[in-house]
C-alpha cells in the first residue's frame, strides 16, 4: 500500500501543461498559484507546445525525482504522461484542459480548474489500469474506423470555437466520407473464438469508461476492472446510426443488434485494409494492433469523493505485492 495518502505529502511536484490545449495557455499561472496556496509543493513548471516536447519534458521531470507530476491538457496529453509514469510510484495529478476531458470525467475529477487544483491538494491516491496498443498507452478508448475520421475532421479551429459541439459536427462529416472495412478479432487468451466481421463502421477497445465527449464505453466498463471492453459497430443506413448514437451516452448501444460487444484482457485487431488507430484522440500507427491492459499501472490523485477506482496494488498480473 502506498504510504502517501494525499498530494500535500509529496516531497516535490512538477507541473507540465500543454499550452496548446483548449484552455492551457491561460491556465498555468492560475493553476500553480492555486495549488501552492493549497499546500502542494510545486517546485518546477513546464509549459510545452508539442507532443515531442511533452514526452521529453516528462522524461526529464521523472528523472529529476519528483514524486508528483501534475499534467494539464486534454486526454492525449494525460495518456502520454500516464504511459511515462506507469509501473512507478510517481503520482499523477490531472488538470482537465482539453475539449472532452473524458479521463477526468471517468475519475470524477472536476472540470473547473480551481476545483481540480483543490482536488489535487486534498485528494486520495488510486491506481488505475492503462491500455496499451502495441505498447503505446491509452486511458479511455482506442478505435479504428469512423472515430479516426471524426478526429481528422475535428480541426483545432472548430474545437476552439464550438467546444464539445465540435464532435457532433465532425461526426456527420466523417460519416459522409466513411468507407466500410473488414476486421478479424483474435483473442490470444483463448477466451473467445476469433471473430470475422465485414461492412464495419467502427471497432473500439475501451480501457476507461468515457470517451468522445461524454459517451460511455459500456454500462459495465470501468478503468479499474482489469479488462478491455471491445465493440464493433456494423455500417448501416444513417437512421440506424442515429438510433445507436442516442444510446452512446449511457453505453446501452451495446445491446443494439448491429453491435458486437466482448470483454477480454487482450485482443489482436487485423483490418482489411490496414487502418490508422485513434488512441484517446491522437492518431497512431496502422493495424494490425495488439491491445493489452496493464493492471493497476498508474497512481492517480482523485477527489476524496470519487468512487471510480480504488488502491489495490498491481495484484497477480503485476507481479508480487511488496
Amino acid at each position: 500500500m502506498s504510504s502517501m495518502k494525499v498530494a500535500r505529502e509529496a516531497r516535490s511536484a512538477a507541473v507540465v501543461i500543454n499550452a496548446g490545449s483548449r484552455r492551457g495557455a491561460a491556465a498555468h499561472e492560475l493553476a500553480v498559484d492555486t495549488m501552492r496556496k493549497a499546500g502542494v509543493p510545486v517546485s518546477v513548471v513546464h509549459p510545452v507546445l508539442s507532443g515531442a516536447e511533452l514526452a521529453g519534458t516528462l522524461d526529464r521531470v521523472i528523472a529529476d525525482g519528483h514524486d508528483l507530476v501534475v499534467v494539464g491538457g486534454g486526454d492525449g496529453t494525460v495518456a502520454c504522461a500516464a504511459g511515462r509514469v506507469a509501473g512507478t510510484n510517481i503520482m499523477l495529478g490531472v488538470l482537465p484542459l482539453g475539449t472532452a476531458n473524458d479521463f477526468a470525467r471517468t475519475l470524477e475529477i472536476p472540470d473547473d480548474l480551481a476545483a481540480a487544483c483543490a482536488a489535487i491538494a486534498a485528494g486520495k491516491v488510486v491506481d488505475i489500469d492503462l491500455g496499451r496498443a502495441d505498447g503505446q498507452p491509452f486511458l479511455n478508448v482506442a478505435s479504428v474506423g469512423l472515430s479516426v475520421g471524426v478526429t481528422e475532421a475535428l480541426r483545432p479551429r472548430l474545437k476552439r470555437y464550438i467546444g464539445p459541439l465540435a464532435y457532433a459536427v465532425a461526426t456527420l462529416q466523417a460519416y459522409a466520407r466513411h468507407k466500410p472495412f473488414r476486421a478479424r478479432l483474435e483473442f490470444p487468451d483463448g477466451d473467445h473464438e476469433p471473430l470475422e466481421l465485414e461492412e464495419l463502421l467502427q471497432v473500439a477497445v475501451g480501457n476507461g469508461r468515457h470517451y468522445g465527449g461524454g459517451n460511455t464505453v459500456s454500462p459495465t466498463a470501468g478503468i479499474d476492472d482489469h479488462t478491455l471492453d471491445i465493440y464493433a459497430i456494423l455500417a448501416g443506413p444513417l437512421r440506424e446510426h442515429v438510433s445507436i448514437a442516442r444510446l452512446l451516452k449511457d453505453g446501452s448501444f451495446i445491446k443494439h443488434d448491429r453491435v458486437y460487444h466482448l470483454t477480454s484482457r487482450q485482443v489482436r485487431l487485423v483490418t482489411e485494409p490496414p487502418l490508422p488507430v485513434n488512441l484517446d484522440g491522437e492518431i497512431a500507427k496502422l493495424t494490425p494492433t495488439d491491445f493489452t491492459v496493464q493492471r493497476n499501472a498508474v497512481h492517480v490523485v482523485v477527489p476524496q469523493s470519487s468512487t471510480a477506482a480504488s488502491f489495490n496494488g498491481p495484484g497477480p498480473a503485476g507481479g508480487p505485492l511488496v
Side-chain angles (χ1 to χ4, degrees):
M1 181 73 187
S2 166
S3 58
M4 196 169 322
K5 302 289 188 292
V6 293
R8 285 195 194 102
E9 294 172 25
R11 289 188 323 279
S12 164
V15 180
V16 179
I17 288 192
N18 176 356
S21 61
R22 185 154 182 255
R23 302 184 298 173
H28 70 266
E29 284 167 31
L30 173 68
V32 171
D33 275 358
T34 309
M35 282 187 289
R36 279 192 177 130
K37 286 196 180 95
V40 179
V42 176
S43 50
V44 60
V45 183
H46 294 284
V48 298
L49 284 166
S50 70
E53 195 187 351
L54 173 70
T57 303
L58 287 165
D59 287 345
R60 222 169 37 249
V61 301
I62 290 166
D64 287 346
H66 301 284
D67 52 350
L68 169 63
V69 176
V70 178
V71 177
D75 288 323
T77 302
V78 180
C80 174
R84 289 295 200 275
V85 301
T88 71
N89 284 322
I90 298 169
M91 295 178 298
L92 189 63
V94 178
L95 301 176
L97 302 175
T99 306
N101 303 316
D102 287 300
F103 176 63
R105 188 180 277 109
T106 290
L107 287 179
E108 300 159 44
I109 293 167
D111 207 38
D112 173 75
L113 185 61
C117 290
I120 288 171
K124 62 184 178 184
V125 181
V126 298
D127 51 16
I128 58 155
D129 302 331
L130 184 63
R132 296 272 189 187
D134 289 340
Q136 278 187 272
F138 66 97
L139 287 163
N140 307 326
V141 141
S143 54
V144 301
L146 184 69
S147 65
V148 173
V150 173
T151 299
E152 286 163 350
L154 263 179
R155 294 178 298 281
R157 220 175 66 132
L158 191 66
K159 288 195 342 193
R160 212 166 36 245
Y161 285 117
I162 60 177
L165 190 65
Y167 284 85
V169 175
T171 301
L172 286 171
Q173 290 178 340
Y175 183 80
R177 295 183 204 135
H178 178 73
K179 294 187 175 45
F181 62 97
R182 291 168 48 185
R184 177 179 167 89
L185 297 171
E186 299 167 6
F187 298 89
D189 289 350
D191 48 346
H192 302 286
E193 289 299 305
L195 187 59
E196 300 259 5
L197 298 168
E198 300 193 1
E199 289 294 300
L200 284 163
L201 181 73
Q202 175 150 312
V203 175
V205 178
N207 172 59
R209 184 162 175 80
H210 293 297
Y211 70 99
N215 292 331
T216 305
V217 172
S218 90
T220 55
I223 199 154
D224 199 18
D225 61 2
H226 321 318
T227 58
L228 299 170
D229 271 79
I230 301 131
Y231 66 83
I233 303 179
L234 299 177
L238 184 61
R239 64 172 186 279
E240 285 277 359
H241 292 305
V242 170
S243 78
I244 291 176
R246 276 207 288 270
L247 304 172
L248 286 173
K249 279 285 177 231
D250 65 354
S252 61
F253 76 97
I254 62 165
K255 298 187 180 66
H256 195 281
D257 57 7
R258 303 188 76 86
V259 178
Y260 291 79
H261 175 242
L262 302 138
T263 59
S264 185
R265 280 197 294 276
Q266 49 179 331
V267 60
R268 178 173 174 78
L269 172 63
V270 184
T271 65
E272 182 62 47
L275 292 170
V277 182
N278 174 345
L279 300 179
D280 289 341
E282 310 285 325
I283 307 295
K285 55 174 289 306
L286 294 175
T287 54
T289 306
D290 288 289
F291 296 98
T292 54
V293 61
Q294 191 179 347
R295 178 181 172 142
N296 294 339
V298 186
H299 295 200
V300 187
V301 183
V302 299
Q304 291 288 348
S305 57
S306 171
T307 56
S310 54
F311 191 96
N312 312 323
L321 282 171
V322 213

